[in-house]
Amino acid sequence: MKKFIRYLSFAFISTVLTATPSIAADQIAFYYPPFGEFTLSTQSLETFAKEGKITKDFAFYAGRATPQQLAQLRELLQQKFKVTPTLVSQFSYSPLGEKVVQRLGELIQTDKRKNGFYAIRGALILAAADPQGLTVVNVLRRFPSNSVRINFTEGLQVVSNLTDLLKRKDAIVAFIQKEANAEAANVDFSKQPDLRSRGNFRFSKITLELKDQTRDRRLPVDLYLPQG
């Protein structure tokens, strides 16, 4: 059980997606042999991260951890990576970044047990653009699936790498910045379209307000429809 708690803690650090803000992961699901499948609501993690409170849902797991382990878990959930959405996008679309995200996708899967590659990449970019920054909880809010499924077998193989990632996060962010700058330096922007210029197509704008019944919130949406 000690390995399980350790894995649960560090797996969250890389839970990271082409998502719409109206969809979010409500729970984390994982299979822990031989005991079966377990789930944990993301709201319980958010409450624990922000307030330090242990909800009834989280109590089952918290009761099997030491106070030190719980403190470490809360610290992990509160960790913020100081990166811009542009930087995250540049890296995640680079050859190296795609390999990293693809590897994480084997660990962090959608509720259909599919590789979470696209979900992770979209969630990282959206979370980095949020005023609260790129945190584990923020990424979970933007996961385009009702649940985040942890591939436990795969997780046991990469947990040491995730631990190293946390310890060296500042160095890793600096490396990503360097790689992104190097890639941008090789682009001849004089040969690229000027995105500031008005295009040849006309469009009309329609503003809608959708109602999210599940979370009792309103979602403003702007539709830009091409004409002609």
Side-chain angles (χ1 to χ4, degrees), residues 28 45 48 92 121 185 190 215:
I28 298 171
L45 288 179
F48 178 64
S92 61
R121 181 162 67 184
S190 64
R215 299 178 178 81

Side-chain angles (χ1 to χ4, degrees), residues 30-76:
F30 50 93
Y31 183 78
Y32 183 56
F35 303 105
E37 184 161 295
F38 294 82
T39 60
L40 176 65
S41 70
T42 54
Q43 182 61 49
S44 294
L45 288 179
E46 184 172 359
T47 299
F48 178 64
K50 291 183 176 181
E51 306 174 24
K53 294 182 179 179
I54 297 176
T55 63
K56 182 179 179 180
D57 181 38
F58 185 47
F60 172 80
Y61 306 99
R64 288 159 174 77
T66 66
Q68 182 180 5
Q69 288 173 327
L70 288 175
Q72 290 175 342
L73 174 58
R74 191 181 182 199
E75 182 180 359
L76 287 172

Side-chain angles (χ1 to χ4, degrees), residues 114-192:
K114 301 295 184 181
N115 187 296
F117 173 80
Y118 294 105
I120 293 171
R121 181 162 67 184
L124 284 170
I125 297 173
L126 291 173
D130 189 271
Q132 296 184 24
L134 181 56
T135 65
V136 174
V137 172
N138 227 2
V139 167
L140 288 172
R141 290 200 194 104
R142 282 150 182 78
F143 202 90
S145 177
N146 291 327
S147 64
V148 176
R149 183 166 293 277
I150 304 298
N151 183 345
F152 192 81
T153 302
E154 182 67 21
L156 292 178
Q157 299 175 10
V158 301
V159 63
S160 60
N161 293 335
L162 298 180
T163 304
D164 186 58
L165 169 66
L166 177 63
K167 294 179 179 178
R168 301 169 54 194
K169 71 182 182 69
D170 292 336
I172 291 173
V173 169
F175 171 77
I176 294 175
Q177 180 72 68
K178 180 180 178 181
E179 290 292 308
N181 291 341
E183 185 169 322
N186 294 326
V187 178
D188 186 353
F189 289 100
S190 64
K191 298 181 180 179
Q192 303 298 320

